[in-house]
Amino acid sequence: MPRPIVIYPDPRLLQKSKPVTQFGPELKLLAAEMTETMRDANGVGLAAIQIGEAIRMMVMDEHYDAEDKGESLALCNPVVLDEDGKETIEEGCLSIPDVREEVERSYKVRVKAQDLEGAEGVWEFEGLLARCILHEIDHMNGQLFIQKVPAVRRIFLKKQLDQLKKNFKQAARL
Ligand code: ZN
């Protein structure tokens, strides 16, 4: 079942996630729920904190393209080993609905991580998937992509962000 996505400015999005230490059936269940939540929302990636679980785990559609979403990849405790190149393209976040802004990120990344069994490996990504993994690692550190937007652009975002803050306050009163 898809789970509700934590929406900005929920303070959980600013918290640092803890390393994954338990690799068992519960983690696999959580990864499956995250994949379902991500696909239900048409996302390319999702960090565990986005469904309220403060652990360093993420899922991503590994062979993502517009027609074929391919296999989902779950990574635990990812650490960037190398980054190369720069690219500035528009980015969004399932936790910040309807906000899209250009963000500069590395074009290629090499990442050390653990799979759902706890086995360590090294993965390489480029383009959209490199951007996605860097975005999800930011989530694990309590950072949002809007913080990477230059101040002059952030002025244009203010209205949209204020609306989300208003919605959040209303929802919290229910
Ligand atoms: Zn996000």
Side-chain angles (χ1 to χ4, degrees):
M1 284 283 282
R3 302 237 315 233
I5 294 177
V6 175
I7 300 293
Y8 176 90
D10 193 306
R12 285 175 288 178
L13 292 172
L14 302 178
Q15 100 185 61
K16 264 195 162 193
S17 294
K18 294 199 164 65
V20 178
T21 52
Q22 303 280 344
F23 296 88
E26 276 181 33
L27 189 70
K28 283 185 187 147
L29 181 66
L30 179 63
E33 285 179 340
M34 284 170 60
T35 298
E36 233 181 302
T37 306
M38 170 180 72
R39 290 191 172 154
D40 194 55
N42 290 315
V44 188
L46 189 80
I49 192 62
Q50 292 182 275
I51 58 165
E53 306 286 343
I55 57 168
R56 303 183 79 83
M57 207 246 282
M58 59 166 286
V59 293
M60 165 162 105
D61 265 327
E62 195 177 3
H63 304 291
Y64 185 86
D65 66 53
E67 285 82 42
D68 174 20
K69 292 205 171 180
E71 292 285 294
S72 166
L73 174 70
L75 294 177
C76 304
N77 307 324
V79 176
V80 174
L81 299 175
D82 294 301
E83 301 183 57
D84 196 22
K86 287 283 173 218
E87 189 178 50
T88 302
I89 57 170
E90 218 180 49
E91 193 170 313
C93 177
L94 294 178
S95 293
I96 314 175
D98 304 325
V99 174
R100 300 188 65 82
E101 265 301 321
E102 287 193 339
V103 178
E104 184 186 85
R105 292 197 189 266
S106 300
Y107 181 73
K108 273 186 180 180
V109 289
R110 208 157 62 89
V111 170
K112 183 180 81 171
Q114 285 165 282
D115 65 16
L116 293 175
E117 311 286 344
E120 269 196 28
V122 173
W123 283 263
E124 281 184 35
F125 302 103
E126 55 179 63
L128 178 64
L129 297 183
R131 174 170 296 270
C132 177
I133 197 158
L134 293 169
H135 178 116
E136 306 314 337
I137 291 173
D138 281 350
H139 271 304
M140 295 173 199
N141 294 326
Q143 289 175 348
L144 299 170
F145 85 99
I146 47 175
Q147 294 167 287
K148 294 193 180 303
V149 173
V152 62
R153 288 294 311 161
R154 235 179 290 158
I155 295 166
F156 293 101
L157 284 181
K158 195 180 175 298
K159 207 175 155 193
Q160 284 169 291
L161 296 178
D162 283 348
Q163 185 59 48
L164 287 171
K165 283 177 189 160
K166 214 173 129 193
N167 295 348
F168 182 74
K169 272 191 202 144
Q170 279 166 353
R173 249 188 268 128
L174 293 174

